[in-house]
Amino acid sequence: MRTLAIATVAVVADRQAALANPIRRVVNMLQGLQTKVEAEAKEAEALFAKFQCYCASNDKKLSDSISSGDEAVTRLESSVKSTAAEKTQTKSDLASHKEDREAAKKAIAEATQMREKEHSDFTAESGDLKANIGALNQAIPAIEKGMAGSFLQTAAGSKLARIAEVSMQLTDGQKSDLQAFLQGTSQYAPASGQIVGILKTMKDEMEANLAEITKNENEAAQSHAGMVAAKNS
């Protein structure tokens, strides 16, 4: 009974103390609120720091991306300009090459036409020289063997007579002696040695002339072939 009375007294005393000290209650409440606010402030600071780090990181990435993009654009612009310049140069080169090819074709055609004429002239001249040399090769041994009369009746004899008429290698005196011999108006014996000498001289000169024009023809043909090969390369 006594214990109950003491407890009742204590409770009453606490309630009286609480009622008697309202300021303490306010202080406790404010202290609790302060603790809560401080905790929320720390959490906000942590979130803000994390946000700042995120922004800084993203800003750097964005800046790097923009810088890389600018460099890529610059390289692309340079590549486009270079490609355009190369295209222009290629067109110019193609036009120049076409002009060169046309000029080469024209030069080849003109040179070939000239070469064909030169070859035709050579063929005709060399043919005449070979025929004349052939006639002299028959005349000389025939006259040396005393068979001039029968030889003069052959085609080779007639050829020799025409050679004597148009020859530019003989002096007027040699031409007169040869024509007189061929026409039978001079004595054979005294004239045969002289005539053979004239014919041999003519033959030597014709053979030398034939060798020279043949050499020139071969050189001209090689030169033309080389020119055509160079123009077509």
Side-chain angles (χ1 to χ4, degrees):
M1 192 64 183
R2 185 178 177 181
T3 302
L4 177 61
I6 293 172
T8 301
V9 172
V11 171
V12 171
D14 289 338
R15 290 181 64 187
Q16 288 178 345
L19 292 173
N21 194 8
I23 295 174
R24 183 64 182 172
R25 292 175 60 193
V26 172
V27 169
N28 290 337
M29 184 180 66
L30 291 176
Q31 287 178 340
L33 182 62
Q34 180 181 4
T35 300
K36 182 179 180 181
V37 170
E38 288 176 351
E40 290 177 350
K42 288 181 179 180
E43 183 179 355
E45 287 178 0
L47 289 174
F48 181 73
K50 184 177 181 180
F51 178 75
Q52 280 188 320
C53 180
Y54 172 80
C55 289
S57 176
N58 278 0
D59 283 347
K60 186 175 186 307
K61 290 180 180 179
L62 180 60
S63 177
D64 291 344
S65 177
I66 292 173
S67 177
S68 178
D70 289 342
E71 292 176 358
V73 169
T74 300
R75 289 195 300 270
L76 181 59
E77 289 177 346
S78 176
S79 177
V80 169
K81 290 179 181 179
S82 176
T83 301
E86 290 176 358
K87 184 178 180 181
T88 300
Q89 183 62 44
T90 299
K91 287 183 177 180
S92 176
D93 291 344
L94 287 174
S96 177
H97 180 67
K98 184 178 180 180
E99 291 177 358
D100 291 343
R101 291 296 300 165
E102 293 299 324
K105 288 180 180 179
K106 182 179 179 181
I108 290 173
E110 292 175 350
T112 299
Q113 184 178 10
M114 183 179 297
R115 176 85 279 274
E116 289 174 349
K117 183 179 183 305
E118 291 173 349
H119 181 68
S120 178
D121 292 342
F122 164 76
T123 300
E125 185 176 3
S126 63
D128 287 343
L129 285 171
K130 289 175 182 178
N132 293 343
I133 292 170
L136 290 170
N137 282 334
Q138 295 180 51
I140 292 171
I143 295 173
E144 288 177 333
K145 294 177 181 179
M147 300 171 60
S150 60
F151 169 77
L152 295 176
Q153 303 302 316
T154 65
S158 300
K159 178 69 175 176
L160 183 59
R162 290 194 296 273
I163 294 172
E165 291 177 2
V166 300
S167 177
M168 302 295 294
Q169 299 170 297
L170 303 177
T171 64
D172 291 339
Q174 289 175 328
K175 186 178 292 188
S176 297
D177 290 340
L178 182 56
Q179 288 175 338
F181 174 80
L182 295 174
Q183 293 170 4
T185 57
S186 64
Q187 293 296 321
Y188 174 78
S192 61
Q194 181 181 356
I195 296 303
V196 168
I198 293 173
L199 296 180
K200 285 184 177 180
T201 299
M202 291 176 61
K203 177 176 174 291
D204 290 343
E205 292 178 352
M206 288 181 182
E207 288 175 340
N209 190 17
L210 177 61
E212 181 179 359
I213 66 172
T214 300
K215 175 176 174 293
N216 293 340
E217 168 65 13
N218 292 336
E219 290 176 350
Q222 291 177 357
S223 177
H224 176 262
M227 184 275 290
V228 171
K231 293 291 184 181
N232 284 327
S233 62

